[in-house]
Amino acid sequence: AQSVTQLDSQVPVFEEAPVELRCNYSSSVSVYLFWYVQYPNQGLQLLLKYLSGSTLVKGINGFEAEFNKSQTSFHLRKPSVHISDTAEYFCAVSYVQGAQKLVFGQGTRLTINP
Amino acid sequence: DAGVIQSPRHEVTEMGQEVTLRCKPISGHDYLFWYRQTMMRGLELLIYFNNNVPIDDSGMPEDRFSAKMPNASFSTLKIQPSEPRDSAVYFCASSPRAKVNQPQHFGDGTRLSIL
């Protein structure tokens, strides 16, 4: 069975500092990987996705993530954060073959301090 | 373009009452998903449909919960009778046809409070 672990439930950083949100997954088969962002009182929006090919994936709002198959990780990074990046971030996986459904991690709350 | 539309945005009702949550997916999307989000359990998939047919309802917590999709543009999630532990934010999402690499588009959710 698939599972997703987001290692940090909360990450506070100062504005303009770099940030990394960690995500590890477990699966015995090939997966697709996603990061979603949830702003207060809103639904989730797709930040970026890894399907195949280059292991470094660039998304919206200056975020990027790197797929590391040997470490089964898909960490999210941004070199310089802004106050507007304050949100909850979810890592998710789905099977390459088979079901359409996503399995989400527990989420990481990113707080940007001025 | 209109996104996924959910109604109501907020619902407060007393224990034992029937609750109906509604969702209009994005036009042309073949998949529809219902999720529940709580602090304790995070984001859980309850059920999803493909072309109006329920495919996987293994996440539905118990018989008090039911979901229908009578046509491609409308789905409901019902709780009868409701209990305080059903309090959560319920999200509907839709995605285009069958490829698993298509992202899901989420509505803004219904915040449900059962007193």
Side-chain angles (χ1 to χ4, degrees):
Chain A
Q2 299 166 319
S3 68
V4 179
T5 302
Q6 291 184 241
L7 297 162
D8 306 296
S9 60
Q10 296 187 58
V11 174
V13 296
F14 287 107
E15 194 172 16
E16 298 183 7
V19 70
E20 178 180 81
L21 307 183
R22 297 180 291 170
C23 173
N24 287 88
Y25 68 94
S26 67
S27 176
S28 58
V29 298
S30 296
V31 296
Y32 295 126
L33 295 156
F34 305 82
W35 275 99
Y36 283 79
V37 60
Q38 184 180 27
Y39 298 106
N41 299 315
Q42 294 185 25
L44 280 69
Q45 302 173 31
L46 182 69
L47 263 184
L48 49 79
K49 59 186 178 183
Y50 172 78
L51 306 177
S52 64
S54 172
T55 57
L56 183 62
V57 179
K58 294 191 183 296
I60 62 171
N61 301 340
F63 283 93
E64 63 182 32
E66 186 156 18
F67 170 58
N68 187 319
K69 188 174 182 180
S70 63
Q71 297 188 6
T72 60
S73 68
F74 190 54
H75 301 333
L76 181 71
R77 302 186 183 100
K78 186 169 182 178
S80 176
V81 295
H82 189 266
I83 291 282
S84 60
D85 293 323
T86 296
E88 187 134 17
Y89 292 79
F90 292 90
C91 182
V93 302
S94 70
Y95 284 119
V96 170
Q97 299 291 338
Q100 178 77 354
K101 62 185 184 181
L102 291 171
V103 175
F104 284 91
Q106 285 292 95
T108 297
R109 183 170 300 277
L110 177 62
T111 304
I112 312 300
N113 299 306
Chain B
D1 289 341
V4 175
I5 299 172
Q6 292 186 245
S7 64
R9 288 296 314 275
H10 303 273
E11 175 90 10
V12 180
T13 192
E14 292 187 349
M15 183 175 70
Q17 298 297 307
E18 178 179 291
V19 173
T20 300
L21 311 182
R22 297 173 175 80
C23 175
K24 177 178 169 56
I26 293 172
S27 177
H29 282 193
D30 292 342
Y31 283 84
L32 184 139
F33 306 81
W34 281 102
Y35 291 89
R36 178 172 67 176
Q37 185 178 37
T38 60
M39 289 292 291
M40 292 297 294
R41 300 174 68 91
L43 199 61
E44 304 172 275
L45 176 66
L46 300 177
I47 184 171
Y48 77 96
F49 296 83
N50 180 23
N51 290 322
N52 313 337
V53 176
I55 302 300
D56 183 349
D57 65 354
S58 60
M60 295 286 263
E62 44 197 283
D63 292 345
R64 298 184 297 107
F65 285 70
S66 63
K68 293 182 180 179
M69 193 165 185
N71 57 62
S73 59
F74 184 66
S75 177
T76 59
L77 178 68
K78 283 191 179 179
I79 309 172
Q80 169 62 20
S82 58
E83 296 182 4
R85 60 194 168 116
D86 302 330
S87 298
V89 181
Y90 291 81
F91 288 103
C92 176
S94 69
S95 67
R97 67 181 185 85
K99 292 183 179 181
V100 294
N101 57 351
Q102 296 296 324
Q104 295 181 18
H105 300 255
F106 283 74
D108 285 338
T110 295
R111 185 173 296 275
L112 178 63
S113 297
I114 309 297
L115 306 178

